[in-house]
Amino acid sequence: MLNLSAGELPEQLNVSQPERVLAVHLGYAKAGAEFITANTFGANSLKYDNVSELVQAGVELAKRAGKKVALDIGPTGKLLKPMGDLDFEKAVELFSEVVAAGKDGSDVVIIETMSDTYELKAAVLAVKENCELPVIASMIFDENGRLLTGADVRAACTMLEGLGVDVIGLNCGLGPKQMITLVKELRACTSLPILVMPNAGLPESVNGRTVYNVSPEEFAQNMCEIAELGVSYLGGCCGTTPEHIREMIKRCSNIPDSVADKKNETVVTSYASSVIIGKKPVVIGERINPTGKKLFKEALRNSDMDYVIKEGLSQQDKGAHILDVNVGLPEIDEVKMLSDAVFRLQSVLPLPLQLDSSDAKALEKAMRIYNGKPMVNSVNGKQSSMREIFPLVKKYGGVVVCLCLDENGIPETAQGRIDIAKKIINTAAEYGIDKKDLVVDALTMTISTNKDNAIETLKAVRYIKNELGVGTVLGVSNISFGLPNREAINTAFFTLALENGLSAGIINPLSESMMNAYYSFNALMGFDDNCVEYIESAAASPVPMTSNSAFDLKTAIVKGVREDAGICAKELLENTQPLDVINDYIIPALDVVGDGFEKNKVFLPQLLMSADAAKEAFDVIKGYLIASGQEKKSENKIIIATVEGDIHDIGKNIVKVLLSNYGFDVIDLGKDVKCERVLEEALKCDCKLVALSALMTTTVPNMEKTIKLIHDNTDAKVLVGGAVLTKSYADMIQADFYAKDAMESVRIAKAYFGGES
């Protein structure tokens, strides 16, 4: 509505032209809106030196509209580590500055247009730690129901519920009609009220201006359908005018607000995937634990995180659903080591983690930087333990493992353990932690010291699961301490425990007999439709190995293990030509990852870690070529730039990484690049392909202007992409190619250059 010129930053208008901003607020207030979002969406210290001034002015202008005020927080425009260069705590600091400046005068905080759960978590913590206002968290999903960094609807809303937000929402990216499926999915996952703020359809270019294709009447009709799905709050995002809001209110105001039914699922998540505990048995991999492992202890003393990652990868390959992470040794800094292990594991693996420590400080730091909702191992019936652990679970979210022991030790009988379980469950409720966020460990005691130990544990498991209605977990292998042929005992006990209601077993997934028991049990009990998992497990083949590395080069790249990729590349160069290493190993590996990415089996963090591993291999090859005098630059040059006025470069940077790792010579001109600068570089290097990115609707006209300049003065082709673009829009502005994501950019570039890179 402000008709901003390209490059004009809207938040600056709060102080430079406040009446323009106020006029917009008043337009929506007169249309009947109950909440007005302050013009603070993009205010952060990465863009402005006067954040507090802009935020305070923005809140004051929204108040002048006479409605409730939502302090509006948007993304920073940067990816957080390990995918990008923004530190998690720095992100918390940036958001905290906005909250501190804008909390006075605001009625609620809305965190919106978020495409990364990690950045969203940083923003939620910033709000929670700096004010007591209600929190709305709203995300931007694609049509496949995924955030940019991989989370599906369930994974995202599970994390947010754990963090204690008040409302979960969807906004931007899609029109109301395209959001209906997502709303249904969200309603099925969350117990919280829902906010929906679609765009007014999809953007089109008309006479050099960006317009949206859904009228107020059509918008209102679709929003009625959304409201009837059980949505509490309705609004509009890009392209929605006061008339859209007025018409929506007129048609939807009589639809009653439905109270969400309470979901009682026990769910743990990573940044991309979720595991429901209770529907079918879950395998928790036990191998990231130094107990009885000499090599692992040595790796921890040497801070060798590659060893930890390989243990995680091997368990994932063998079917683990969750990984236990225990790095406690008396002589190391467990606080640092546990958080380092979590960070590195989440850089490579999509599996949820069980944070396993008796050190509350180590647990807190790891829970804080964990991307998702973890399992937390553990709390016990001691008052001191519950006082330490439950506040952490309440703040950061988690499914906490409850050990059936207290100040008097571990009861010998099932009843004694059940009594402690009840005490823990009741105390958790006092901290506001529901039963669905608890799993009880009835504790496995070795039968070598008492013949009844297995029987009493199984009795407790059965009662806790069936009578208390709480999930159960056991460290299975403890049953056989002190006995020969332990695996036979472990496997038999595991099967008995599953039959008695064990929800999750902490086992060694590399044990063939244990996993055979697991898959057989699921097949026999109807948890495995058509025995698909059983058949797949029987057909699984081992991961290929090399002499000095845990994997061959292709596998190292696919799994994103950078160090091994370098080692493998060096070994191959002893007997293989550099070009053959690239064409026979590196490119096929990247193709495997890219194909998985496009099929929603691989997510952005894994994609970028694989690209990082490929870069390590390329660097080894480059060093070899330089040393042998064979280095030759690629003739396939690609210029890449974010267009003038647009300061977002997340998408551009991802595309750059992937194109580079496919061997293209990428010339990155950065962000906010004038069209004349793009032309100058294209002429200078005789570049045949130019890739342009835009995230903001206000900057798309500059993309169109740049395309025209390139076409009028060179024979280069132009590839475009960005959140605000569609294929039809790209055609309207005369782009030669449109890429919906980074992997499609690679495919287009390979085809354009004849498949050679």
Side-chain angles (χ1 to χ4, degrees), residues 170-238:
L170 309 170
N171 79 285
C172 204
L174 302 170
K177 193 170 184 179
Q178 293 82 11
M179 273 194 182
I180 290 172
T181 300
L182 289 172
V183 174
K184 290 178 180 177
E185 195 174 342
L186 184 56
R187 180 71 289 162
C189 293
T190 184
S191 306
L192 294 177
I194 293 174
L195 162 74
V196 179
M197 299 194 304
N199 291 344
L202 302 175
E204 296 177 350
S205 179
V206 178
N207 298 323
R209 293 188 62 220
T210 301
V211 298
Y212 286 81
N213 60 13
V214 172
S215 68
E217 293 74 21
E218 184 183 352
F219 183 83
Q221 182 179 343
N222 290 329
M223 293 304 283
C224 283
E225 185 176 349
I226 286 173
E228 289 169 348
L229 294 174
V231 172
S232 299
Y233 301 95
L234 303 175
C237 202
C238 300

Side-chain angles (χ1 to χ4, degrees), residues 486-509:
R486 293 184 60 191
E487 196 160 337
I489 293 288
N490 293 345
T491 303
F493 179 66
F494 184 35
T495 306
L496 286 170
L498 290 170
E499 172 62 21
N500 279 273
L502 183 65
S503 307
I506 304 174
I507 67 170
N508 177 10

Side-chain angles (χ1 to χ4, degrees), residues 527-546:
F527 294 128
D528 183 4
D529 288 345
N530 299 315
C531 301
V532 170
E533 291 182 354
Y534 178 83
I535 294 168
E536 287 179 351
S537 71
S541 57
V543 174
M545 311 281 279
T546 65

Side-chain angles (χ1 to χ4, degrees), residues 96-380:
S96 295
E97 185 178 7
V98 177
V99 177
K103 61 184 178 182
D104 293 338
S106 295
D107 299 286
V108 66
V109 179
I110 179 168
I111 306 164
E112 59 155 316
T113 322
M114 286 288 183
S115 59
D116 175 15
T117 52
Y118 209 27
E119 184 174 30
L120 184 48
K121 179 174 182 176
V124 172
L125 288 178
V127 177
K128 292 279 188 179
E129 292 173 353
N130 287 278
C131 75
E132 296 182 356
L133 295 173
V135 184
I136 302 170
S138 184
M139 298 159 284
I140 176 171
F141 287 90
D142 62 23
E143 288 184 303
N144 295 317
R146 292 278 179 182
L147 298 182
L148 172 69
T149 52
D152 60 14
V153 172
R154 182 182 296 279
C157 79
T158 298
M159 184 197 79
L160 290 170
E161 283 197 6
L163 288 169
V165 305
D166 299 283
V167 178
I168 293 179
L170 309 170
N171 79 285
C172 204
L174 302 170
K177 193 170 184 179
Q178 293 82 11
M179 273 194 182
I180 290 172
T181 300
L182 289 172
V183 174
K184 290 178 180 177
E185 195 174 342
L186 184 56
R187 180 71 289 162
C189 293
T190 184
S191 306
L192 294 177
I194 293 174
L195 162 74
V196 179
M197 299 194 304
N199 291 344
L202 302 175
E204 296 177 350
S205 179
V206 178
N207 298 323
R209 293 188 62 220
T210 301
V211 298
Y212 286 81
N213 60 13
V214 172
S215 68
E217 293 74 21
E218 184 183 352
F219 183 83
Q221 182 179 343
N222 290 329
M223 293 304 283
C224 283
E225 185 176 349
I226 286 173
E228 289 169 348
L229 294 174
V231 172
S232 299
Y233 301 95
L234 303 175
C237 202
C238 300
T240 52
T241 65
E243 193 54 41
H244 285 84
I245 302 303
R246 181 179 292 108
E247 191 67 22
M248 179 184 72
I249 293 170
K250 184 170 72 176
R251 295 203 186 188
C252 300
S253 58
N254 292 327
I255 299 173
D257 178 17
S258 60
V259 178
D261 57 314
K262 185 177 179 182
K263 313 299 187 299
N264 288 311
E265 291 181 328
T266 301
V267 187
V268 294
T269 74
S270 66
Y271 63 83
S273 63
S274 52
V275 174
I276 301 174
I277 297 176
K279 284 195 171 180
K280 63 180 284 188
V282 168
V283 171
I284 302 175
E286 70 178 9
R287 291 184 57 82
I288 303 178
N289 189 318
T291 303
K293 300 183 183 75
K294 183 179 178 181
L295 290 177
F296 198 173
K297 289 178 180 179
E298 192 62 28
L300 292 178
R301 293 186 186 105
N302 295 329
S303 298
D304 182 2
M305 283 300 158
D306 287 326
Y307 189 100
V308 175
I309 288 171
K310 289 166 191 172
E311 286 287 5
L313 288 167
S314 65
Q315 293 179 94
Q316 176 184 247
D317 289 340
K318 292 300 183 180
H321 307 110
I322 299 169
L323 299 179
D324 183 76
V325 184
N326 185 320
V327 293
L329 284 178
E331 65 269 36
I332 67 170
D333 180 356
E334 188 178 356
V335 175
K336 182 178 186 302
M337 186 67 73
L338 183 59
S339 60
D340 286 351
V342 167
F343 181 82
R344 287 293 305 278
L345 284 164
Q346 287 204 304
S347 299
V348 175
L349 287 152
L351 297 185
L353 304 179
Q354 175 172 272
L355 312 179
D356 187 352
S357 176
S358 58
D359 185 329
K361 290 182 179 177
L363 280 177
E364 176 166 22
K365 186 171 182 183
M367 291 172 74
R368 185 175 180 84
I369 60 103
Y370 183 82
N371 190 357
K373 181 181 179 182
M375 286 189 78
V376 181
N377 192 1
S378 59
V379 72
N380 60 54

Side-chain angles (χ1 to χ4, degrees), residues 208 243 409 480 514 619 718 720 754-755:
E243 193 54 41
S480 62
M514 293 291 277
D619 286 346
V718 182
V720 300

Side-chain angles (χ1 to χ4, degrees), residues 53-54 88 102 134 151 249 256 274 310 380 429 432 537 556 562 569 597 614 631 646 688 693 699 707 734:
E53 179 188 18
L54 295 177
F88 178 80
I249 293 170
S274 52
K310 289 166 191 172
N380 60 54
S537 71
R562 186 177 61 188
F597 180 72
E631 186 187 20
D646 206 315
K688 302 302 181 186
S693 171
T699 59
I707 292 169
Q734 304 299 308

